[in-house]
């Protein structure tokens, strides 16, 4: 699909380039042609004016001279018989019989080109026709070379335009192709993630239907699994809707001031009970009251995602440290754990949707969407998120929000 689109874009760009070059080339050639012939035509018109003022008719110079190297005047009687036959070769005479007057004409004789202009006059009380002739081979050769150069340049330009069109079309389509590929992977992964809990629910439901006489207590494990998968499915759908709306810019932030330290204390207080039950410890280090301007609910979601992520990948008796700080230009937030960590090559991909680091290394189930949502929340607040992790030593998330940028 993208290959065909790239070719179509290249063809369209090439056609537009050819049309523009053709129009510009025609305009330039027409202007130069007019400019080159202007001196030759002006010399003819000056000769006509001079003869009209002085009455003197210049002589060509005798039989045998080539007319393509001179400006000459031919005198014709009313019967189109040449009077000054000695001024031009016999084999040229029939080509110059005048038919149009007071207008410059182009005449070709044996490969030579001339501009001519004829006027009516009277000599010795006899009506005659005066024809002024000027050779324009030099001008024509100049224009011929110019046209050849323009054609060669145009051909080279078209080849370069096609090559550049292919290159630029490829670059222009690259982000679209990447977005398309991501969307395809997103749809595929979402279908897979949705299919898994649905399959479990369907399987357990079929088992329940096979033994309608069984009591609820007997089927409690199946019911529990169904409810667990329903909650997982609900969470997955909610996350998918969040990401889909974020991609289409349908989600707007409700910006208002709130106390960041107070929000962190509320979240830590809630997570501390769960952490204590799992044998883990969460600590909070907060500077003096920090006022933050942003969406409080989304910021709450951000902290919960990062803490939940730290809880999943921290072993029993692990330590999770949460801290916030304020400088002259930034408000910062760090979440550090001493959990299992990850390899360096995985760090750059953890914000990709549905990406999960080696499921076998943790007992917890993850949808692979939380950090994608966290990254979106940070970006919407004009912040930057940095991740440092070492395998077996733990992971640290550091987020900086600029005070100068408006969100």
């Amino acid at each position: 699909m993208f290959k065909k689109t790239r070719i179509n874009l290249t063809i369209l760009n090439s056609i537009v380039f050819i049309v523009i070059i053709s129009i510009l080339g025609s305009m330039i050639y027409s202007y130069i042609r007019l400019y080159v012939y202007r001196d030759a035509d002006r010399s003819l018109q000056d000769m006509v004016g001079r003869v009209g003022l002085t009455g003197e008719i210049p002589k060509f110079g005798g039989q045998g001279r080539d007319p393509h190297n001179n400006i000459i005047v031919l005198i014709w009687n009313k019967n189109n018989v040449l009077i000054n036959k000695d001024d031009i070769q016999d084999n040229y005479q029939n080509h110059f019989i005048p038919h149009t007057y007071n207008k410059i004409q182009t005449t070709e004789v044996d490969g030579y080109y001339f501009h001519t202009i004829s006027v009516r006059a009277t000599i010795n009380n006899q009506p005659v026709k005066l024809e002024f002739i000027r050779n324009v081979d030099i001008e024509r050769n100049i224009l011929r070379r110019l046209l050849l150069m323009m054609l060669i340049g145009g051909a080279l330009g078209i080849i370069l335009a096609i090559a550049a069109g292919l290159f630029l079309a490829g670059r222009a389509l690259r982000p679209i192709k990447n977005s398309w590929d991501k969307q395809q992977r997103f749809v595929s992964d979402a279908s897979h993630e949705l299919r898994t809990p649905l399959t479990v629910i369907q399987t357990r439901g079929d088992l329940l239907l096979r033994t309608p006489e069984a009591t609820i207590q007997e089927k409690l494990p199946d019911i529990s699994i169904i409810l667990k998968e329903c909650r997982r499915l609900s969470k997955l759908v909610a996350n998918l809707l969040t990401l889909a709306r974020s991609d289409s810019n349908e989600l707007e932030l409700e910006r208002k001031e709130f106390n960041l330290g107070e929000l962190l204390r509320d979240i830590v207080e809630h997570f501390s009970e769960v952490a204590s039950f799992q044998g883990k410890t969460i600590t909070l280090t907060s500077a003096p009251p920090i006022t933050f301007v942003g969406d409080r609910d989304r910021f709450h979601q951000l902290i919960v995602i990062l803490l939940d992520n730290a809880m999943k990948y921290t072993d029993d008796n692990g330590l999770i440290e949460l801290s916030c700080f304020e400088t002259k230009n930034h408000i910062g937030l760090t979440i550090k754990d001493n959990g299992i960590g990850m390899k360096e090559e995985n760090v750059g991909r953890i914000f990709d949707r549905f990406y999960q680091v080696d499921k076998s290394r943790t007992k917890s189930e993850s949808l692979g969407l939380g950090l994608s949502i966290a990254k979106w929340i940070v970006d919407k607040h004009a912040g930057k998120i940095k991740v440092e992790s070492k395998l077996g030593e733990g992971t640290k998330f550091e987020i900086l929000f600029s005070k100068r940028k408006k969100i």
Side-chain angles (χ1 to χ4, degrees), residues 258-261 264 285-293 323-334 398-404:
F258 63 90
N259 189 306
L260 180 58
L264 295 179
T285 303
S286 177
I290 299 174
T291 301
F292 189 84
V293 178
S323 63
C324 63
F325 58 91
E326 183 176 18
T327 64
K328 182 179 180 180
N329 299 318
H330 296 91
I331 293 176
L333 179 71
T334 60
E398 183 178 42
I399 308 173
L400 290 178
F401 300 97
S402 175
K403 294 182 178 180
R404 298 179 180 179

Short mmCIF file of all heavy atoms in Angstrom, two decimals, residues 258-261 264 285-293 323-334 398-404:
data_model
loop_
_atom_site.label_atom_id
_atom_site.label_comp_id
_atom_site.label_asym_id
_atom_site.label_seq_id
_atom_site.Cartn_x
_atom_site.Cartn_y
_atom_site.Cartn_z
N PHE A 258 -2.79 22.50 42.84
CA PHE A 258 -2.99 21.55 43.94
C PHE A 258 -1.65 21.34 44.64
O PHE A 258 -0.58 21.61 44.07
CB PHE A 258 -3.58 20.23 43.46
CG PHE A 258 -2.71 19.46 42.51
CD1 PHE A 258 -1.79 18.53 42.98
CD2 PHE A 258 -2.81 19.65 41.15
CE1 PHE A 258 -0.99 17.82 42.11
CE2 PHE A 258 -2.01 18.95 40.25
CZ PHE A 258 -1.10 18.03 40.74
N ASN A 259 -1.75 20.85 45.86
CA ASN A 259 -0.57 20.60 46.68
C ASN A 259 -0.01 19.23 46.32
O ASN A 259 -0.63 18.19 46.58
CB ASN A 259 -0.92 20.66 48.16
CG ASN A 259 0.31 20.64 49.05
OD1 ASN A 259 1.14 19.73 48.93
ND2 ASN A 259 0.43 21.61 49.94
N LEU A 260 1.17 19.21 45.70
CA LEU A 260 1.76 17.95 45.24
C LEU A 260 2.12 17.04 46.41
O LEU A 260 1.87 15.83 46.38
CB LEU A 260 2.99 18.24 44.38
CG LEU A 260 3.73 17.03 43.81
CD1 LEU A 260 2.81 16.18 42.96
CD2 LEU A 260 4.95 17.48 43.01
N GLY A 261 2.71 17.61 47.46
CA GLY A 261 3.10 16.79 48.62
C GLY A 261 1.91 16.12 49.27
O GLY A 261 1.98 14.95 49.68
N LEU A 264 0.79 13.15 47.16
CA LEU A 264 1.71 12.01 47.30
C LEU A 264 1.49 11.30 48.63
O LEU A 264 1.54 10.06 48.70
CB LEU A 264 3.16 12.48 47.18
CG LEU A 264 3.58 13.07 45.82
CD1 LEU A 264 5.03 13.51 45.87
CD2 LEU A 264 3.37 12.06 44.70
N THR A 285 9.72 11.14 50.55
CA THR A 285 10.54 12.30 50.91
C THR A 285 10.02 13.49 50.12
O THR A 285 10.10 13.51 48.88
CB THR A 285 12.02 12.07 50.57
OG1 THR A 285 12.48 10.89 51.24
CG2 THR A 285 12.85 13.26 51.00
N SER A 286 9.49 14.47 50.85
CA SER A 286 8.88 15.61 50.18
C SER A 286 9.47 16.90 50.72
O SER A 286 9.71 17.05 51.92
CB SER A 286 7.36 15.61 50.39
OG SER A 286 6.77 16.75 49.80
N ALA A 287 9.71 17.83 49.79
CA ALA A 287 10.22 19.16 50.17
C ALA A 287 9.09 19.95 50.80
O ALA A 287 7.96 19.47 50.94
CB ALA A 287 10.76 19.85 48.92
N PRO A 288 9.36 21.19 51.21
CA PRO A 288 8.27 22.04 51.70
C PRO A 288 7.13 22.07 50.69
O PRO A 288 7.32 21.73 49.52
CB PRO A 288 8.95 23.40 51.83
CG PRO A 288 10.37 23.09 52.07
CD PRO A 288 10.66 21.86 51.27
N PRO A 289 5.94 22.45 51.11
CA PRO A 289 4.75 22.39 50.24
C PRO A 289 5.05 22.89 48.81
O PRO A 289 5.53 23.99 48.61
CB PRO A 289 3.76 23.29 50.96
CG PRO A 289 4.15 23.21 52.39
CD PRO A 289 5.64 23.07 52.40
N ILE A 290 4.74 22.02 47.85
CA ILE A 290 4.96 22.35 46.45
C ILE A 290 3.61 22.49 45.77
O ILE A 290 2.78 21.58 45.80
CB ILE A 290 5.79 21.25 45.74
CG1 ILE A 290 7.16 21.11 46.41
CG2 ILE A 290 5.94 21.55 44.25
CD1 ILE A 290 7.97 19.95 45.85
N THR A 291 3.41 23.65 45.15
CA THR A 291 2.17 23.88 44.40
C THR A 291 2.39 23.56 42.93
O THR A 291 3.30 24.09 42.30
CB THR A 291 1.71 25.35 44.54
OG1 THR A 291 1.49 25.64 45.92
CG2 THR A 291 0.42 25.58 43.77
N PHE A 292 1.57 22.66 42.43
CA PHE A 292 1.71 22.23 41.03
C PHE A 292 0.43 22.60 40.28
O PHE A 292 -0.68 22.48 40.81
CB PHE A 292 1.94 20.72 40.98
CG PHE A 292 2.31 20.21 39.62
CD1 PHE A 292 3.62 20.26 39.17
CD2 PHE A 292 1.34 19.69 38.77
CE1 PHE A 292 3.97 19.78 37.93
CE2 PHE A 292 1.67 19.21 37.53
CZ PHE A 292 2.99 19.26 37.09
N VAL A 293 0.60 23.03 39.02
CA VAL A 293 -0.54 23.39 38.18
C VAL A 293 -0.70 22.30 37.12
O VAL A 293 0.17 22.08 36.29
CB VAL A 293 -0.34 24.75 37.50
CG1 VAL A 293 -1.53 25.06 36.60
CG2 VAL A 293 -0.16 25.85 38.54
N SER A 323 9.91 10.46 46.03
CA SER A 323 10.33 11.78 46.51
C SER A 323 9.94 12.84 45.47
O SER A 323 9.83 12.55 44.27
CB SER A 323 11.84 11.82 46.75
OG SER A 323 12.54 11.61 45.54
N CYS A 324 9.75 14.04 45.96
CA CYS A 324 9.49 15.17 45.06
C CYS A 324 10.36 16.35 45.53
O CYS A 324 10.70 16.47 46.71
CB CYS A 324 8.02 15.55 45.04
SG CYS A 324 7.36 16.13 46.62
N PHE A 325 10.71 17.21 44.60
CA PHE A 325 11.58 18.34 44.93
C PHE A 325 11.26 19.50 43.98
O PHE A 325 10.59 19.34 42.95
CB PHE A 325 13.05 17.93 44.80
CG PHE A 325 13.43 17.43 43.44
CD1 PHE A 325 13.89 18.30 42.45
CD2 PHE A 325 13.31 16.08 43.13
CE1 PHE A 325 14.23 17.83 41.20
CE2 PHE A 325 13.65 15.60 41.87
CZ PHE A 325 14.12 16.49 40.90
N GLU A 326 11.75 20.65 44.35
CA GLU A 326 11.51 21.86 43.57
C GLU A 326 12.80 22.66 43.45
O GLU A 326 13.52 22.85 44.43
CB GLU A 326 10.42 22.70 44.22
CG GLU A 326 10.05 23.96 43.44
CD GLU A 326 8.89 24.71 44.07
OE1 GLU A 326 8.61 24.45 45.27
OE2 GLU A 326 8.28 25.54 43.39
N THR A 327 13.09 23.09 42.23
CA THR A 327 14.23 23.98 41.99
C THR A 327 13.71 25.28 41.39
O THR A 327 12.49 25.50 41.30
CB THR A 327 15.24 23.33 41.01
OG1 THR A 327 14.62 23.15 39.73
CG2 THR A 327 15.72 21.98 41.53
N LYS A 328 14.64 26.14 40.99
CA LYS A 328 14.25 27.43 40.43
C LYS A 328 13.42 27.27 39.16
O LYS A 328 12.47 28.03 38.93
CB LYS A 328 15.50 28.26 40.14
CG LYS A 328 15.19 29.65 39.61
CD LYS A 328 16.48 30.43 39.37
CE LYS A 328 16.18 31.83 38.84
NZ LYS A 328 17.44 32.60 38.59
N ASN A 329 13.77 26.28 38.34
CA ASN A 329 13.12 26.14 37.04
C ASN A 329 12.27 24.88 36.89
O ASN A 329 11.54 24.76 35.91
CB ASN A 329 14.18 26.13 35.93
CG ASN A 329 14.98 27.42 35.88
OD1 ASN A 329 14.43 28.51 36.02
ND2 ASN A 329 16.29 27.30 35.69
N HIS A 330 12.39 23.94 37.85
CA HIS A 330 11.70 22.67 37.67
C HIS A 330 11.02 22.19 38.95
O HIS A 330 11.40 22.59 40.06
CB HIS A 330 12.69 21.58 37.21
CG HIS A 330 13.29 21.84 35.87
ND1 HIS A 330 14.49 22.51 35.72
CD2 HIS A 330 12.88 21.51 34.62
CE1 HIS A 330 14.79 22.58 34.44
NE2 HIS A 330 13.84 21.99 33.75
N ILE A 331 10.03 21.33 38.75
CA ILE A 331 9.44 20.53 39.81
C ILE A 331 9.72 19.08 39.43
O ILE A 331 9.41 18.65 38.31
CB ILE A 331 7.93 20.78 39.95
CG1 ILE A 331 7.68 22.21 40.46
CG2 ILE A 331 7.30 19.77 40.90
CD1 ILE A 331 6.22 22.58 40.54
N GLY A 332 10.33 18.33 40.36
CA GLY A 332 10.77 16.99 40.03
C GLY A 332 10.12 15.93 40.88
O GLY A 332 9.63 16.18 41.99
N LEU A 333 10.10 14.72 40.33
CA LEU A 333 9.50 13.58 41.02
C LEU A 333 10.34 12.35 40.70
O LEU A 333 10.70 12.12 39.54
CB LEU A 333 8.06 13.38 40.54
CG LEU A 333 7.28 12.22 41.12
CD1 LEU A 333 6.95 12.49 42.57
CD2 LEU A 333 5.99 12.01 40.32
N THR A 334 10.69 11.55 41.72
CA THR A 334 11.45 10.32 41.48
C THR A 334 10.78 9.15 42.20
O THR A 334 10.26 9.31 43.31
CB THR A 334 12.91 10.43 41.98
OG1 THR A 334 12.90 10.69 43.39
CG2 THR A 334 13.64 11.54 41.24
N GLU A 398 12.65 9.20 36.89
CA GLU A 398 12.80 10.60 37.26
C GLU A 398 12.00 11.45 36.28
O GLU A 398 12.18 11.36 35.07
CB GLU A 398 14.26 11.03 37.25
CG GLU A 398 14.45 12.49 37.70
CD GLU A 398 15.92 12.89 37.73
OE1 GLU A 398 16.65 12.53 36.79
OE2 GLU A 398 16.32 13.56 38.69
N ILE A 399 11.12 12.30 36.82
CA ILE A 399 10.25 13.15 35.98
C ILE A 399 10.51 14.60 36.34
O ILE A 399 10.52 14.97 37.52
CB ILE A 399 8.77 12.80 36.20
CG1 ILE A 399 8.53 11.30 36.03
CG2 ILE A 399 7.89 13.59 35.25
CD1 ILE A 399 7.14 10.85 36.40
N LEU A 400 10.70 15.41 35.32
CA LEU A 400 10.92 16.84 35.50
C LEU A 400 9.84 17.63 34.76
O LEU A 400 9.58 17.37 33.59
CB LEU A 400 12.31 17.24 35.00
CG LEU A 400 13.51 16.76 35.80
CD1 LEU A 400 14.80 17.22 35.13
CD2 LEU A 400 13.46 17.28 37.24
N PHE A 401 9.25 18.58 35.47
CA PHE A 401 8.26 19.48 34.87
C PHE A 401 8.82 20.90 34.91
O PHE A 401 9.19 21.39 35.98
CB PHE A 401 6.93 19.43 35.62
CG PHE A 401 6.31 18.05 35.64
CD1 PHE A 401 6.48 17.22 36.74
CD2 PHE A 401 5.56 17.61 34.56
CE1 PHE A 401 5.91 15.96 36.77
CE2 PHE A 401 4.99 16.34 34.58
CZ PHE A 401 5.16 15.52 35.68
N SER A 402 8.86 21.53 33.76
CA SER A 402 9.39 22.89 33.69
C SER A 402 8.35 23.89 34.20
O SER A 402 7.16 23.80 33.87
CB SER A 402 9.78 23.23 32.25
OG SER A 402 10.18 24.58 32.15
N LYS A 403 8.80 24.84 35.00
CA LYS A 403 7.90 25.89 35.48
C LYS A 403 7.60 26.92 34.40
O LYS A 403 6.61 27.65 34.49
CB LYS A 403 8.52 26.60 36.68
CG LYS A 403 8.66 25.73 37.92
CD LYS A 403 9.25 26.54 39.06
CE LYS A 403 9.36 25.72 40.33
NZ LYS A 403 9.94 26.52 41.45
N ARG A 404 8.45 26.99 33.38
CA ARG A 404 8.32 28.03 32.36
C ARG A 404 7.38 27.62 31.23
O ARG A 404 6.80 28.47 30.57
CB ARG A 404 9.69 28.38 31.77
CG ARG A 404 10.65 28.94 32.80
CD ARG A 404 12.01 29.24 32.18
NE ARG A 404 12.93 29.77 33.16
CZ ARG A 404 14.19 30.11 32.90
NH1 ARG A 404 14.66 29.95 31.67
NH2 ARG A 404 14.97 30.58 33.85
#
